[in-house]
């Protein structure tokens, strides 16, 4: 691993005051990244360091977690994102992370809006360890543009699209149903960010991820009275349609095991605090 210090820049707010910084350092994730054949079939470790620029005054005064960043959840979300995507370049991985960090927060996973983010990605095994390449980028929320599309189940936000993949947020309205038929070529990995969704007809805890292989149909139901969000990585990109599709029956769908990306304590709290039907 690179021993170089991570030195994000100083960023000012609109009043000329330095913004506060939350850092997450040393998150190591096995990821498909690279242009060579061996790198396209075997994951290799990436080290991720991020700096989040925000104003923490409100959180410091109120003690409310929703007015700052839940870095325990965020670490799991970034791990999921890097594991689920298939990158050719470090530049693509850095852009995907920045676009996710700077996306507007949603009601079912509240946090304050970040003003900017610095991201460094290190690829320690790329050259056999003799030379360690890394990339550091800085992006502001003002330069981010997110497309959004209305669908039969709610809305889809396009967070980032790269070569052969796309990163989306599926915003499932109260009573909405996401119904994805079996596809012979497409794969999707999805992380449930909200609390109260059903996957394949069964309750699913916040922070649970599913990898839906090719040829496996799947479905989410939102029986709650509030919007629920799913972070989706699709390979290839999603073909978005605003019109309603054929709704899959909840019975008989193949069960796919979920993987927890939040801590046990966080998952237990999510189950306890899950909203009931609207």
């Amino acid at each position: 691993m690179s021993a170089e210090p991570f030195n994000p820049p100083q960023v000012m707010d609109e009043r000329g005051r330095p913004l506060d910084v939350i850092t997450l350092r040393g998150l190591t994730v096995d990821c498909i990244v690279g242009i060579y054949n061996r790198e396209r079939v075997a994951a290799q470790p990436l080290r991720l360091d991020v700096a989040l620029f925000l104003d923490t005054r409100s959180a410091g005064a109120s003690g409310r977690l929703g007015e700052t960043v839940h870095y325990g959840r965020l670490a799991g979300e970034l791990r999921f994102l890097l594991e689920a995507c298939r990158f050719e370049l470090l530049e693509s991985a850095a852009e995907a992370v920045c676009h996710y960090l700077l996306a507007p927060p949603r009601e079912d996973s509240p946090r304050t809006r970040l003003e900017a983010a610095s991201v460094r990605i290190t690829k320690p095994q790329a050259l056999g360890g003799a030379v360690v390449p890394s990339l550091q980028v800085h992006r502001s929320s003002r330069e981010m543009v997110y497309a959004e599309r209305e669908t039969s189940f709610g809305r889809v936000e396009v967070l980032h699209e790269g070569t052969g993949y796309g990163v989306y947020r599926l915003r499932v309205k109260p009573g909405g149903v996401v119904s994805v038929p079996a596809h012979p070529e497409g794969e999707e990995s999805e992380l449930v960010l909200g609390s109260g969704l059903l996957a394949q007809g069964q309750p699913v805890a916040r922070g649970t991820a599913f990898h839906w292989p090719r040829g496996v149909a799947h479905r989410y139901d939102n029986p709650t009275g509030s919007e629920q969000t799913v972070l989706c990585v699709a390979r290839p990109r999603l073909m978005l349609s605003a019109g309603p599709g054929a709704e899959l029956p909840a019975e008989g769908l193949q069960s796919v095991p979920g993987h927890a990306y939040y801590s046990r304590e966080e998952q237990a709290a999510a189950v306890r605090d899950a909203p009931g039907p609207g």
Side-chain angles (χ1 to χ4, degrees):
M1 295 295 177
S2 172
E4 294 180 6
F6 178 47
N7 296 314
Q10 186 178 69
V11 179
M12 304 294 184
D13 67 11
E14 68 280 358
R15 298 170 60 182
R17 303 174 302 184
L19 285 167
D20 305 321
V21 186
I22 293 175
T23 60
L24 297 176
R25 303 176 186 233
L27 179 64
T28 301
V29 182
D30 288 335
C31 177
I32 295 291
V33 57
I35 60 174
Y36 300 116
N37 289 338
R38 58 180 171 81
E39 297 179 305
R40 304 307 300 164
V41 298
Q44 61 181 297
L46 291 186
R47 176 189 165 110
L48 178 67
D49 303 298
V50 301
L52 315 173
F53 297 87
L54 68 164
D55 188 338
T56 65
R57 290 177 176 85
S58 295
S62 69
R64 290 195 291 268
L65 188 56
E67 294 185 354
T68 182
V69 173
H70 194 311
Y71 48 79
R73 290 183 187 172
L74 183 60
E77 292 158 15
L78 294 176
R79 179 180 297 279
F80 164 81
L81 182 63
L82 291 176
E83 288 181 351
C85 290
R86 303 287 188 268
F87 302 109
E88 293 186 349
L89 302 177
L90 290 181
E91 289 82 349
S92 299
E95 285 300 323
V97 170
C98 286
H99 277 75
Y100 182 68
L101 291 173
L102 297 174
R106 301 262 58 92
E107 292 182 5
D108 56 339
S109 51
R111 61 168 174 82
T112 191
R113 176 76 183 263
L114 299 177
E115 297 297 327
S118 288
V119 171
R120 182 175 69 179
I121 299 181
T122 304
K123 193 177 177 184
Q125 294 183 4
L127 301 172
V131 178
V132 179
S134 68
L135 170 70
Q136 182 168 327
V137 303
H138 181 81
R139 302 287 184 266
S140 71
S141 61
R142 293 187 299 274
E143 64 185 290
M144 292 296 166
V145 177
Y146 300 99
E148 190 171 302
R149 182 73 175 270
E150 187 172 357
T151 71
S152 59
F153 62 78
R155 306 193 73 81
V156 173
E157 291 175 292
V158 182
L159 301 188
H160 173 71
E161 291 184 321
T163 303
Y165 70 91
V167 182
Y168 312 90
R169 284 195 303 204
L170 313 180
R171 295 166 48 189
V172 190
K173 64 187 178 182
V177 176
V178 181
S179 187
V180 182
H183 195 288
E185 297 181 1
E187 295 180 82
E188 292 181 15
S189 296
E190 291 166 339
L191 178 66
V192 175
L193 301 178
S195 185
L197 281 176
L198 305 179
Q200 309 296 70
Q202 299 299 314
V204 56
R206 182 200 305 270
T208 301
F210 299 94
H211 171 64
W212 306 105
R214 297 176 183 178
V216 174
H218 61 280
R219 166 180 171 143
Y220 294 101
D221 291 77
N222 180 10
T224 77
S226 58
E227 183 180 83
Q228 303 292 313
T229 308
V230 176
L231 175 61
C232 171
V233 174
R235 300 179 302 274
R237 300 177 182 182
L238 287 182
M239 299 297 291
L240 301 179
S241 172
E247 189 171 302
L248 299 169
E251 301 78 16
L253 291 176
Q254 179 178 332
S255 177
V256 171
H259 177 74
Y261 278 82
Y262 291 170
S263 67
R264 292 181 179 178
E265 294 82 1
E266 180 62 28
Q267 288 231 315
V271 172
R272 183 182 64 246
D273 300 336

